[in-house]
Amino acid sequence: GDSVTQTEGLVTLTKGLPVMLNCTYQTTYSPFLFWYVQHLNEAPKLLLKSSTDNKRTEHQGFYATLHKSSSSFHLQKSSVQLSDSALYFCALGTGGYKVVFGSGTRLLVSP
Amino acid sequence: NSKVIQTPRYLVKGQGQKAKMRCIPEKGHPVVFWYQQNKNNEFKFLINFQNQEVLQQIDMTEKRFSAECPSNSPCSLEIQSSEAGDSALYLCASSLVGGNYAEQFFGPGTRLTVL
């Protein structure tokens, strides 16, 4: 079945440093990939989405490129801020109705 | 900002009790999803609707959970007989279109504690 793997449960960084959160997926269908962010006690919100191979998508300083050859959609930012501390979820859609979420990566940014 | 409304925000029940939570999707969104987010922050899909019709649901939802999205009323998710393992954050999300390529707008969730 369809699946999403996020290898890091927790990433801790000092502000100003770059970050990459890993996301790989498995599906036999044409994939739609999403990154959602969930701040403490808030609802998850869409950060990025893509279904186009090898095209970088950006929002609020975060960016990701869907690589179908490696089944990856890693989330990156060149300089993290304190306000980026949150849970980040990678999610997969395949044209049906159910979205499959990864297990999430908690990003903690320290001063 | 998302305008999905979920009530109550917190719910405390004893084992065996019914637990009911409600969701008003964003205006104009015909598709509604329910997820269970456990203490490890993992999402479990429960059920989704398009208008009043169930699109998909998992086996657990069929047996102990009941859900509906009546027209002109909030959607609801009810656990018939709560168990300790049901303690979680229940998230409702809505989207404009039925395919899973669409952005989902989440509500703040109902945090259920089963004592």
Side-chain angles (χ1 to χ4, degrees), chain A residues 19-36:
Chain A
V19 66
M20 184 169 85
L21 306 183
N22 290 315
C23 172
T24 56
Y25 64 89
Q26 273 193 309
T27 183
T28 55
Y29 300 98
S30 186
F32 296 87
L33 272 296
F34 307 83
W35 276 101
Y36 284 87

PDB file of all heavy atoms in Angstrom, chain A residues 19-36:
ATOM      1  N   VAL A  19      18.139  23.854   7.226  1.00  0.00           N
ATOM      2  CA  VAL A  19      17.514  22.610   7.660  1.00  0.00           C
ATOM      3  C   VAL A  19      16.997  21.842   6.443  1.00  0.00           C
ATOM      4  O   VAL A  19      16.615  22.441   5.434  1.00  0.00           O
ATOM      5  CB  VAL A  19      16.344  22.886   8.640  1.00  0.00           C
ATOM      6  CG1 VAL A  19      15.198  23.609   7.952  1.00  0.00           C
ATOM      7  CG2 VAL A  19      15.842  21.585   9.273  1.00  0.00           C
ATOM      8  N   MET A  20      17.052  20.518   6.552  1.00  0.00           N
ATOM      9  CA  MET A  20      16.392  19.661   5.577  1.00  0.00           C
ATOM     10  C   MET A  20      15.674  18.554   6.337  1.00  0.00           C
ATOM     11  O   MET A  20      16.297  17.837   7.123  1.00  0.00           O
ATOM     12  CB  MET A  20      17.369  19.045   4.580  1.00  0.00           C
ATOM     13  CG  MET A  20      16.658  18.223   3.516  1.00  0.00           C
ATOM     14  SD  MET A  20      17.683  17.725   2.126  1.00  0.00           S
ATOM     15  CE  MET A  20      18.438  16.236   2.781  1.00  0.00           C
ATOM     16  N   LEU A  21      14.381  18.456   6.123  1.00  0.00           N
ATOM     17  CA  LEU A  21      13.569  17.398   6.722  1.00  0.00           C
ATOM     18  C   LEU A  21      13.253  16.393   5.627  1.00  0.00           C
ATOM     19  O   LEU A  21      12.728  16.752   4.580  1.00  0.00           O
ATOM     20  CB  LEU A  21      12.282  17.976   7.314  1.00  0.00           C
ATOM     21  CG  LEU A  21      12.459  19.116   8.320  1.00  0.00           C
ATOM     22  CD1 LEU A  21      11.092  19.533   8.872  1.00  0.00           C
ATOM     23  CD2 LEU A  21      13.409  18.748   9.426  1.00  0.00           C
ATOM     24  N   ASN A  22      13.557  15.137   5.908  1.00  0.00           N
ATOM     25  CA  ASN A  22      13.443  14.113   4.874  1.00  0.00           C
ATOM     26  C   ASN A  22      12.029  13.555   4.742  1.00  0.00           C
ATOM     27  O   ASN A  22      11.317  13.360   5.739  1.00  0.00           O
ATOM     28  CB  ASN A  22      14.391  12.950   5.192  1.00  0.00           C
ATOM     29  CG  ASN A  22      15.837  13.347   5.012  1.00  0.00           C
ATOM     30  OD1 ASN A  22      16.191  13.976   4.025  1.00  0.00           O
ATOM     31  ND2 ASN A  22      16.670  13.008   5.972  1.00  0.00           N
ATOM     32  N   CYS A  23      11.664  13.293   3.507  1.00  0.00           N
ATOM     33  CA  CYS A  23      10.384  12.648   3.214  1.00  0.00           C
ATOM     34  C   CYS A  23      10.559  11.771   1.983  1.00  0.00           C
ATOM     35  O   CYS A  23      10.959  12.255   0.918  1.00  0.00           O
ATOM     36  CB  CYS A  23       9.289  13.668   2.962  1.00  0.00           C
ATOM     37  SG  CYS A  23       7.736  12.948   2.380  1.00  0.00           S
ATOM     38  N   THR A  24      10.285  10.495   2.138  1.00  0.00           N
ATOM     39  CA  THR A  24      10.227   9.588   0.989  1.00  0.00           C
ATOM     40  C   THR A  24       8.883   8.887   1.003  1.00  0.00           C
ATOM     41  O   THR A  24       8.234   8.781   2.044  1.00  0.00           O
ATOM     42  CB  THR A  24      11.360   8.557   1.019  1.00  0.00           C
ATOM     43  OG1 THR A  24      11.304   7.835   2.258  1.00  0.00           O
ATOM     44  CG2 THR A  24      12.718   9.206   0.879  1.00  0.00           C
ATOM     45  N   TYR A  25       8.476   8.412  -0.144  1.00  0.00           N
ATOM     46  CA  TYR A  25       7.145   7.828  -0.250  1.00  0.00           C
ATOM     47  C   TYR A  25       7.197   6.583  -1.110  1.00  0.00           C
ATOM     48  O   TYR A  25       8.148   6.362  -1.871  1.00  0.00           O
ATOM     49  CB  TYR A  25       6.151   8.848  -0.820  1.00  0.00           C
ATOM     50  CG  TYR A  25       6.475   9.277  -2.234  1.00  0.00           C
ATOM     51  CD1 TYR A  25       5.970   8.588  -3.335  1.00  0.00           C
ATOM     52  CD2 TYR A  25       7.318  10.361  -2.476  1.00  0.00           C
ATOM     53  CE1 TYR A  25       6.291   8.967  -4.619  1.00  0.00           C
ATOM     54  CE2 TYR A  25       7.646  10.748  -3.765  1.00  0.00           C
ATOM     55  CZ  TYR A  25       7.142  10.048  -4.826  1.00  0.00           C
ATOM     56  OH  TYR A  25       7.467  10.424  -6.114  1.00  0.00           O
ATOM     57  N   GLN A  26       6.131   5.800  -0.990  1.00  0.00           N
ATOM     58  CA  GLN A  26       5.956   4.628  -1.844  1.00  0.00           C
ATOM     59  C   GLN A  26       4.537   4.616  -2.364  1.00  0.00           C
ATOM     60  O   GLN A  26       3.582   4.712  -1.584  1.00  0.00           O
ATOM     61  CB  GLN A  26       6.185   3.338  -1.040  1.00  0.00           C
ATOM     62  CG  GLN A  26       7.608   2.874  -0.955  1.00  0.00           C
ATOM     63  CD  GLN A  26       7.696   1.451  -0.419  1.00  0.00           C
ATOM     64  OE1 GLN A  26       7.115   1.142   0.605  1.00  0.00           O
ATOM     65  NE2 GLN A  26       8.437   0.612  -1.100  1.00  0.00           N
ATOM     66  N   THR A  27       4.423   4.508  -3.657  1.00  0.00           N
ATOM     67  CA  THR A  27       3.110   4.354  -4.286  1.00  0.00           C
ATOM     68  C   THR A  27       3.296   3.859  -5.702  1.00  0.00           C
ATOM     69  O   THR A  27       4.350   4.085  -6.309  1.00  0.00           O
ATOM     70  CB  THR A  27       2.318   5.679  -4.296  1.00  0.00           C
ATOM     71  OG1 THR A  27       1.026   5.446  -4.865  1.00  0.00           O
ATOM     72  CG2 THR A  27       3.024   6.766  -5.108  1.00  0.00           C
ATOM     73  N   THR A  28       2.293   3.199  -6.210  1.00  0.00           N
ATOM     74  CA  THR A  28       2.334   2.781  -7.606  1.00  0.00           C
ATOM     75  C   THR A  28       1.535   3.738  -8.485  1.00  0.00           C
ATOM     76  O   THR A  28       1.457   3.553  -9.694  1.00  0.00           O
ATOM     77  CB  THR A  28       1.772   1.360  -7.757  1.00  0.00           C
ATOM     78  OG1 THR A  28       0.463   1.322  -7.181  1.00  0.00           O
ATOM     79  CG2 THR A  28       2.658   0.348  -7.035  1.00  0.00           C
ATOM     80  N   TYR A  29       0.944   4.757  -7.844  1.00  0.00           N
ATOM     81  CA  TYR A  29       0.120   5.721  -8.574  1.00  0.00           C
ATOM     82  C   TYR A  29       0.887   7.030  -8.760  1.00  0.00           C
ATOM     83  O   TYR A  29       1.984   7.217  -8.238  1.00  0.00           O
ATOM     84  CB  TYR A  29      -1.180   5.980  -7.803  1.00  0.00           C
ATOM     85  CG  TYR A  29      -2.020   4.745  -7.604  1.00  0.00           C
ATOM     86  CD1 TYR A  29      -1.979   4.020  -6.414  1.00  0.00           C
ATOM     87  CD2 TYR A  29      -2.848   4.285  -8.621  1.00  0.00           C
ATOM     88  CE1 TYR A  29      -2.747   2.888  -6.245  1.00  0.00           C
ATOM     89  CE2 TYR A  29      -3.623   3.150  -8.459  1.00  0.00           C
ATOM     90  CZ  TYR A  29      -3.556   2.456  -7.265  1.00  0.00           C
ATOM     91  OH  TYR A  29      -4.316   1.329  -7.097  1.00  0.00           O
ATOM     92  N   SER A  30       0.277   7.935  -9.461  1.00  0.00           N
ATOM     93  CA  SER A  30       0.889   9.244  -9.665  1.00  0.00           C
ATOM     94  C   SER A  30       0.764  10.052  -8.382  1.00  0.00           C
ATOM     95  O   SER A  30      -0.339  10.264  -7.894  1.00  0.00           O
ATOM     96  CB  SER A  30       0.180   9.951 -10.826  1.00  0.00           C
ATOM     97  OG  SER A  30       0.827  11.158 -11.130  1.00  0.00           O
ATOM     98  N   PRO A  31       1.861  10.517  -7.807  1.00  0.00           N
ATOM     99  CA  PRO A  31       1.807  11.096  -6.459  1.00  0.00           C
ATOM    100  C   PRO A  31       1.548  12.596  -6.420  1.00  0.00           C
ATOM    101  O   PRO A  31       2.003  13.362  -7.266  1.00  0.00           O
ATOM    102  CB  PRO A  31       3.209  10.802  -5.928  1.00  0.00           C
ATOM    103  CG  PRO A  31       4.071  10.902  -7.138  1.00  0.00           C
ATOM    104  CD  PRO A  31       3.246  10.377  -8.293  1.00  0.00           C
ATOM    105  N   PHE A  32       0.813  12.999  -5.369  1.00  0.00           N
ATOM    106  CA  PHE A  32       0.720  14.401  -4.963  1.00  0.00           C
ATOM    107  C   PHE A  32       1.346  14.461  -3.575  1.00  0.00           C
ATOM    108  O   PHE A  32       0.939  13.725  -2.689  1.00  0.00           O
ATOM    109  CB  PHE A  32      -0.746  14.850  -4.858  1.00  0.00           C
ATOM    110  CG  PHE A  32      -1.468  14.820  -6.166  1.00  0.00           C
ATOM    111  CD1 PHE A  32      -2.090  13.657  -6.612  1.00  0.00           C
ATOM    112  CD2 PHE A  32      -1.560  15.955  -6.945  1.00  0.00           C
ATOM    113  CE1 PHE A  32      -2.761  13.624  -7.823  1.00  0.00           C
ATOM    114  CE2 PHE A  32      -2.248  15.940  -8.146  1.00  0.00           C
ATOM    115  CZ  PHE A  32      -2.838  14.763  -8.594  1.00  0.00           C
ATOM    116  N   LEU A  33       2.314  15.326  -3.388  1.00  0.00           N
ATOM    117  CA  LEU A  33       2.993  15.408  -2.110  1.00  0.00           C
ATOM    118  C   LEU A  33       2.704  16.745  -1.429  1.00  0.00           C
ATOM    119  O   LEU A  33       2.592  17.788  -2.102  1.00  0.00           O
ATOM    120  CB  LEU A  33       4.511  15.242  -2.281  1.00  0.00           C
ATOM    121  CG  LEU A  33       5.089  13.830  -2.247  1.00  0.00           C
ATOM    122  CD1 LEU A  33       4.858  13.187  -0.868  1.00  0.00           C
ATOM    123  CD2 LEU A  33       4.508  12.959  -3.349  1.00  0.00           C
ATOM    124  N   PHE A  34       2.572  16.679  -0.122  1.00  0.00           N
ATOM    125  CA  PHE A  34       2.258  17.852   0.683  1.00  0.00           C
ATOM    126  C   PHE A  34       3.213  17.923   1.872  1.00  0.00           C
ATOM    127  O   PHE A  34       3.654  16.895   2.381  1.00  0.00           O
ATOM    128  CB  PHE A  34       0.841  17.763   1.270  1.00  0.00           C
ATOM    129  CG  PHE A  34      -0.255  17.496   0.278  1.00  0.00           C
ATOM    130  CD1 PHE A  34      -0.544  16.203  -0.137  1.00  0.00           C
ATOM    131  CD2 PHE A  34      -1.020  18.532  -0.220  1.00  0.00           C
ATOM    132  CE1 PHE A  34      -1.567  15.948  -1.043  1.00  0.00           C
ATOM    133  CE2 PHE A  34      -2.055  18.289  -1.114  1.00  0.00           C
ATOM    134  CZ  PHE A  34      -2.322  16.988  -1.527  1.00  0.00           C
ATOM    135  N   TRP A  35       3.466  19.128   2.334  1.00  0.00           N
ATOM    136  CA  TRP A  35       4.050  19.360   3.653  1.00  0.00           C
ATOM    137  C   TRP A  35       3.060  20.212   4.438  1.00  0.00           C
ATOM    138  O   TRP A  35       2.637  21.279   3.984  1.00  0.00           O
ATOM    139  CB  TRP A  35       5.388  20.093   3.572  1.00  0.00           C
ATOM    140  CG  TRP A  35       6.549  19.195   3.321  1.00  0.00           C
ATOM    141  CD1 TRP A  35       7.198  18.981   2.143  1.00  0.00           C
ATOM    142  CD2 TRP A  35       7.227  18.384   4.291  1.00  0.00           C
ATOM    143  NE1 TRP A  35       8.221  18.088   2.301  1.00  0.00           N
ATOM    144  CE2 TRP A  35       8.268  17.703   3.621  1.00  0.00           C
ATOM    145  CE3 TRP A  35       7.062  18.161   5.661  1.00  0.00           C
ATOM    146  CZ2 TRP A  35       9.130  16.821   4.269  1.00  0.00           C
ATOM    147  CZ3 TRP A  35       7.919  17.285   6.304  1.00  0.00           C
ATOM    148  CH2 TRP A  35       8.943  16.639   5.612  1.00  0.00           C
ATOM    149  N   TYR A  36       2.695  19.689   5.621  1.00  0.00           N
ATOM    150  CA  TYR A  36       1.852  20.431   6.557  1.00  0.00           C
ATOM    151  C   TYR A  36       2.682  20.788   7.782  1.00  0.00           C
ATOM    152  O   TYR A  36       3.539  20.009   8.205  1.00  0.00           O
ATOM    153  CB  TYR A  36       0.647  19.589   7.003  1.00  0.00           C
ATOM    154  CG  TYR A  36      -0.456  19.473   5.980  1.00  0.00           C
ATOM    155  CD1 TYR A  36      -0.432  18.484   5.008  1.00  0.00           C
ATOM    156  CD2 TYR A  36      -1.532  20.355   5.997  1.00  0.00           C
ATOM    157  CE1 TYR A  36      -1.455  18.374   4.065  1.00  0.00           C
ATOM    158  CE2 TYR A  36      -2.561  20.258   5.066  1.00  0.00           C
ATOM    159  CZ  TYR A  36      -2.512  19.260   4.109  1.00  0.00           C
ATOM    160  OH  TYR A  36      -3.527  19.165   3.184  1.00  0.00           O
TER     161      TYR A  36
END
